[in-house]
Amino acid sequence: MNLPLKHMTAEEFAAWAERQPLGRFELLDGVVVQMNSEQASHARAKFRVAKALEAALSESGLSGEVFGDGMAVKIADRTVHEPDSLLRLGLPLADETILVLDPVIVVKVLSPSTGPVDTGTKLVNYFKVPSIAHYLVVNTKKHVVLHYFRGTGGQPELKVIEAGSIVLNPPGVTLQLADLFG
C-alpha cells in the first residue's frame, strides 16, 4: 500500500483513511504514518480497558460513550492520533463520525515498538486537546498504569498506579486496576 505523499489536513486524512481496505494510520504534522500490527496479548488488553471504561461510565450514571480501537482523535489541523480506547461525555456521536473532538479520557496500551512515542509525542499532543483531562498508558508487562492528568496551568502531571483504583475526576469515574490486567 502506498501512503499519500502530500500533506493532509485532519479532515482529508479521515476521508482517505476511511477508504483504505487494510491497515491503521495516524496523521502527524500532515504526514500519514502507518501503525504496527498487534499481538493477541495487546488486543486482549485493549478490550479489557474498553470494558473497564464502559463499566465505570455505567456505574457513574454519567451520559457518554466509550470507544475501543478505531476512533481517531483530532489533535490539531494536521495531527490525528488513534488511542486504544477513549471516553467522551454527552450525546452519542453521529454514526458517520470518524474524528472525535471531545474525549475526556484517552488510553494507550503500551507496546514494545511504541513506548517512547506514547510517553513523548502523544503525551504532549493529547494535552493540546482542551477536553482531555486524563491520558492513561497501560503497561501490561509490569502491571502498572501511568496516569497523566491535566494539572496546574493545564500541564500534564503524572501518577504511577501499581495497585487499587484509578480515580478520574473529571468526569467522575473510577477504574479498578485489576480489571485492566485480567
Side-chain angles (χ1 to χ4, degrees):
M1 171 177 311
N2 292 329
L3 299 180
L5 297 177
K6 73 172 195 140
H7 281 63
M8 293 186 188
T9 65
E11 289 73 18
E12 290 168 335
F13 166 76
W16 173 86
E18 186 176 32
R19 294 189 309 269
Q20 301 314 300
L22 297 172
R24 296 172 33 247
F25 307 92
E26 292 186 319
L27 187 69
L28 187 57
D29 294 326
V31 176
V32 174
V33 178
Q34 187 163 12
M35 297 172 67
N36 295 338
S37 296
E38 298 173 346
Q39 297 176 350
S41 62
H42 191 82
R44 286 185 198 106
K46 292 182 346 181
F47 182 69
R48 283 192 303 272
V49 167
K51 282 185 7 182
L53 278 173
E54 182 70 34
L57 180 62
S58 178
E59 190 174 295
S60 75
L62 295 168
S63 175
E65 57 190 338
V66 172
F67 290 101
D69 202 21
M71 295 300 290
V73 175
K74 181 178 178 181
I75 305 298
D77 289 340
R78 295 185 177 278
T79 300
V80 175
H81 291 312
E82 183 182 312
D84 291 327
S85 193
L86 67 86
L87 181 149
R88 60 172 300 280
L89 298 176
L91 297 174
L93 295 173
D95 287 346
E96 62 278 0
T97 301
I98 295 173
L99 295 175
V100 178
L101 306 178
D102 61 351
V104 178
I105 301 167
V106 291
V107 183
K108 193 72 179 150
V109 175
L110 201 60
S111 64
S113 63
T114 64
V117 173
D118 294 340
T119 57
T121 302
K122 288 185 182 182
L123 167 63
V124 171
N125 284 349
Y126 279 130
F127 280 97
K128 291 178 182 177
V129 179
S131 64
I132 294 178
H134 306 276
Y135 174 45
L136 305 178
V137 179
V138 179
N139 186 327
T140 59
K141 300 286 187 221
K142 296 183 178 181
H143 285 226
V144 67
V145 174
L146 303 178
H147 173 199
Y148 296 96
F149 58 96
R150 196 172 294 278
T152 308
Q155 295 302 309
E157 295 183 20
L158 172 63
K159 286 184 191 174
V160 178
I161 311 293
E162 297 180 284
S165 59
I166 306 169
V167 178
L168 303 164
N169 282 320
V173 300
T174 301
L175 296 175
Q176 300 305 316
L177 203 64
D179 294 340
L180 302 181
F181 299 115

